[in-house]
Amino acid sequence: ASGGGLFNQILSATPTAATTGLSTWQNQGSATTSDSTTGMTITQVATNALASRTKASPGTPYTITALLAMTAVGGDGTNNPNIGLGWTDGTKLQILRLVSAAGTAGLAFAVASMTNSTTFSANVYVNSKFQFLPYFWARIADDGTNVSFAFSQDGANFLTLYSVAKASGFLGSSGYSNVCFSVMGAAGFTPAGTIGTIMSWTQA
């Protein structure tokens, strides 16, 4: 109302590792993290592997909403940089992610199931028919029985892309135990690496 910047009505204070609670590495490798002027970042090298920062999931029910931005080059259908928010049981992961893919796919949204940080299992949801920007609002929620993944471009109005009962979900009834923010590089592209930034973070 006073002419502030984009999303000023709904942005949280600048997120950090401490304020988000994302303090534990899963498959760090050569990835690095920092608290920048715009938020918490993970910089992943040019490798087709997820580097994630995790924290124990809150008590249910809860909802986490984050504004995520991706800085990356590349995407050839095989080596695709991406960033995302989701859950891990410490080995397996399920993540809502924005992927820079090849050809007509462009930027695609997917809810991806990963056997581990380097092994893709399946997309339980994928759609490249939207028109995306390289930043988006991600929302994950757990009501104790079901988990869901939603996205928005304005931070206020969300579309649910995928929901599932935890008992039948990829991570199992007790596997949605850690929230994770993940960044994947892409082999073979210059400049190398992918930067993911959490620019807003709220938990309710």
Side-chain angles (χ1 to χ4, degrees), residues 26 50 52-58 60 62-64 84-96 111-114 139-144 146-150 162-164 166 170-172 174-182:
Q26 181 170 330
L50 286 176
S52 305
R53 294 280 282 193
T54 73
K55 73 167 187 172
S57 296
T60 57
Y62 66 87
T63 300
I64 293 173
L85 181 70
W87 288 276
T88 177
D89 64 5
T91 302
K92 297 189 294 183
L93 308 97
Q94 193 166 60
I95 306 161
L96 168 60
V111 177
S113 299
M114 303 283 294
R139 175 171 286 176
I140 59 173
D142 183 346
D143 65 8
N146 305 292
V147 293
S148 62
F149 302 81
Y162 179 73
S163 63
V164 67
K166 291 196 288 185
F170 181 70
L171 302 181
S174 61
Y176 293 85
S177 53
N178 297 278
V179 173
C180 64
F181 170 53
S182 302

Side-chain angles (χ1 to χ4, degrees), residues 12 43 47-48 51 85 100 117 135 147 164 166 173 201:
S12 72
T43 301
T47 178
N48 296 339
L85 181 70
S100 178
S117 295
Y135 58 82
V147 293
V164 67
K166 291 196 288 185
S173 57
W201 179 276

Side-chain angles (χ1 to χ4, degrees), residues 68-158:
L68 307 180
M70 179 170 67
T71 303
V73 297
D76 59 11
T78 301
N79 308 290
N80 302 320
N82 61 80
I83 63 170
L85 181 70
W87 288 276
T88 177
D89 64 5
T91 302
K92 297 189 294 183
L93 308 97
Q94 193 166 60
I95 306 161
L96 168 60
R97 60 186 186 176
L98 182 65
V99 183
S100 178
T104 58
L107 291 172
F109 269 127
V111 177
S113 299
M114 303 283 294
T115 304
N116 54 52
S117 295
T118 59
T119 307
F120 173 76
S121 175
N123 286 322
V124 294
Y125 173 89
V126 64
N127 195 325
S128 60
K129 301 303 181 184
F130 301 127
Q131 297 299 313
F132 300 123
L133 298 170
Y135 58 82
F136 70 104
W137 291 85
R139 175 171 286 176
I140 59 173
D142 183 346
D143 65 8
T145 302
N146 305 292
V147 293
S148 62
F149 302 81
F151 98 101
S152 172
Q153 288 281 263
D154 65 11
N157 303 287
F158 283 79

Side-chain angles (χ1 to χ4, degrees), residues 33-48:
T33 186
S34 65
D35 293 331
S36 73
T37 55
T38 55
M40 174 190 164
T41 69
I42 295 176
T43 301
Q44 172 64 305
V45 297
T47 178
N48 296 339

